[in-house]
Amino acid sequence: MIKSNLMSVFNTSEGEISTFFLIGIPGMEHAHIWVSVPISFMYPLAILGNCTTLFFIKTETSLHEPMYYFLSVLAFSDLGLSISSLPTMLRILFNATGISPDACYAQEFFIHGFSAMESSVLLVMSIDRLIAIYSPLRYTSILTSVRVFKIVLVFAIKSLLLVFPSPFILKRLKFCRKNLLSHSYCLHQDVMKLACSDNRVNVIYGLLVALTAMLDLVCISVSYLLILKIVLGIASHKGCIKVLNTCISHISPVLIFYVPIITLAIIHRFAKNISPVVRVIITDTFLLVPPLMNPIVYSLKSHQIRNLILMKLCERQG
């Protein structure tokens, strides 16, 4: 099935193509059914974990604090990433590799949109921790519920506006012969490379989106460096350890989210001859791991969420 799909790539006529073909793990097509087993478990676990986080934050009044409000938005963006990307990955593992251009544009819009939202939320959460550590007595007066709502709304609009042009500037392109994409889902930079018409607008737009993500990362890094400076000035060793332990739970999602992105950028820039398998695995990791790991990290590091989960489990056992 996959071979026939790949053959069609080279037999496409000069007219506009009607189907894109996604790729699984190159050279491992025979093992796709085995790869589908762990992914089939990761998908529902990611959804369950983030839905559980949202449920507890909504229903438990003790979690109605700015930090947990931001965490709920992070869980929402992780849910969006899972729902918009993983179904396509599962289809590929069962040899259903074709996707219509409109469906492809829609998928890349949601993937890039929820990725931009996650990046923004991680930035806001780093600022939240900085305020909590720098001025703990004024924390609740600075981050009131109304201000939290406004902050979330502003960054949600910013993420939407950032990715809104994406499907429209892709739709204006002409695709003549190439229709084999490089990943298990549609990405803007991947689709635009297949165009046989001028894609300079798409290149400039892609660069703008990448710079925005890097700006978020720079601001996040500055926030945690300032936190580290404040923590090192704390006289109490016990207090220092407590603050660092809290920050680790926030730094971990940043690393989980950004390390695959930075690794891919380095590979594309300095290691262009690297195996396609490595690129595909790293890219899949970018969308598979954060939605799965973030609920686990926050459940383990947040004693409030951890205690609530344990209490619910004990009630059911009783």
Side-chain angles (χ1 to χ4, degrees):
M1 178 67 178
I2 292 179
K3 288 184 178 180
S4 62
N5 287 340
L6 295 179
M7 286 298 293
S8 67
V9 173
F10 302 101
N11 295 331
T12 307
S13 64
E14 289 293 333
E16 287 270 352
I17 64 164
S18 59
T19 305
F20 289 120
F21 289 101
L22 301 163
I23 194 168
I25 303 178
M28 295 183 64
E29 289 81 3
H30 61 284
H32 277 180
I33 190 65
W34 297 107
V35 178
S36 69
V37 174
I39 291 180
S40 297
F41 279 104
M42 293 171 75
Y43 186 20
L45 283 176
I47 291 179
L48 178 62
N50 287 289
C51 285
T52 302
T53 301
L54 288 170
F55 172 77
F56 278 121
I57 293 174
K58 178 177 173 56
T59 57
E60 297 294 334
T61 55
S62 62
L63 299 181
H64 291 178
E65 300 175 8
M67 182 180 74
Y68 295 106
Y69 290 143
F70 295 134
L71 178 56
S72 67
V73 181
L74 182 67
F76 176 77
S77 62
D78 280 335
L79 269 177
L81 280 176
S82 295
I83 293 170
S84 58
S85 63
L86 285 174
T88 308
M89 295 175 66
L90 291 174
R91 285 184 64 227
I92 291 169
L93 295 174
F94 291 101
N95 297 333
T97 61
I99 184 172
S100 69
D102 286 341
C104 189
Y105 304 153
Q107 184 183 49
E108 68 86 25
F109 170 80
F110 285 111
I111 288 176
H112 288 295
F114 284 115
S115 297
M117 184 181 292
E118 180 141 351
S119 179
S120 297
V121 175
L122 291 173
L123 169 59
V124 173
M125 292 179 78
S126 69
I127 297 172
D128 169 77
R129 288 301 86 201
L130 177 61
I131 295 172
I133 293 170
Y134 179 74
S135 185
L137 297 178
R138 297 180 58 218
Y139 174 72
T140 53
S141 62
I142 294 172
L143 287 176
T144 61
S145 298
V146 174
R147 283 180 180 166
V148 168
F149 176 77
K150 288 180 179 178
I151 291 169
V152 170
L153 184 62
V154 166
F155 278 98
I157 293 172
K158 170 241 180 186
S159 301
L160 178 62
L161 292 177
L162 186 65
V163 301
F164 183 75
S166 180
F168 299 103
I169 61 176
L170 280 177
K171 200 172 181 65
R172 57 179 279 277
L173 297 175
K174 294 187 182 298
F175 301 92
C176 306
R177 303 188 67 177
K178 297 179 181 178
N179 59 356
L180 180 63
L181 296 167
S182 305
H183 301 293
S184 305
Y185 37 80
C186 296
L187 297 175
H188 180 271
Q189 61 270 32
D190 199 17
V191 176
M192 73 177 187
K193 290 178 182 178
L194 302 181
C196 56
S197 58
D198 186 5
N199 65 357
R200 280 178 293 183
V201 172
N202 299 75
V203 172
I204 294 170
Y205 169 76
L207 180 61
L208 174 64
V209 173
L211 288 175
T212 304
M214 288 302 103
L215 180 61
D216 286 349
L217 179 58
V218 169
C219 293
I220 291 169
S221 302
V222 171
S223 295
Y224 283 113
L225 285 174
L226 290 173
I227 289 172
L228 183 61
K229 181 181 177 182
I230 296 169
V231 169
L232 293 177
I234 296 175
S236 168
H237 177 72
K238 186 178 180 180
C240 181
I241 296 297
K242 183 180 178 181
V243 173
L244 281 176
N245 188 51
T246 303
C247 289
I248 287 172
S249 64
H250 293 273
I251 295 173
S252 299
V254 174
L255 296 176
I256 291 169
F257 182 76
Y258 278 105
V259 166
I261 297 176
I262 295 171
T263 304
L264 272 178
I266 293 172
I267 287 174
H268 281 293
R269 181 66 181 85
F270 301 105
K272 295 182 179 179
N273 295 325
I274 199 167
S275 169
V277 176
V278 176
R279 293 187 185 185
V280 170
I281 290 174
I282 294 174
T283 310
D284 288 350
T285 300
F286 160 62
L287 290 181
L288 277 169
V289 175
L292 178 66
M293 292 303 299
N294 285 343
I296 297 173
V297 169
Y298 281 105
S299 295
L300 292 175
K301 290 294 179 180
S302 171
H303 69 277
Q304 287 176 280
I305 294 179
R306 186 174 65 248
N307 290 342
L308 284 170
I309 293 173
L310 291 173
M311 185 175 68
K312 294 292 183 182
L313 290 174
C314 290
E315 285 178 0
R316 288 193 175 185
Q317 288 179 355

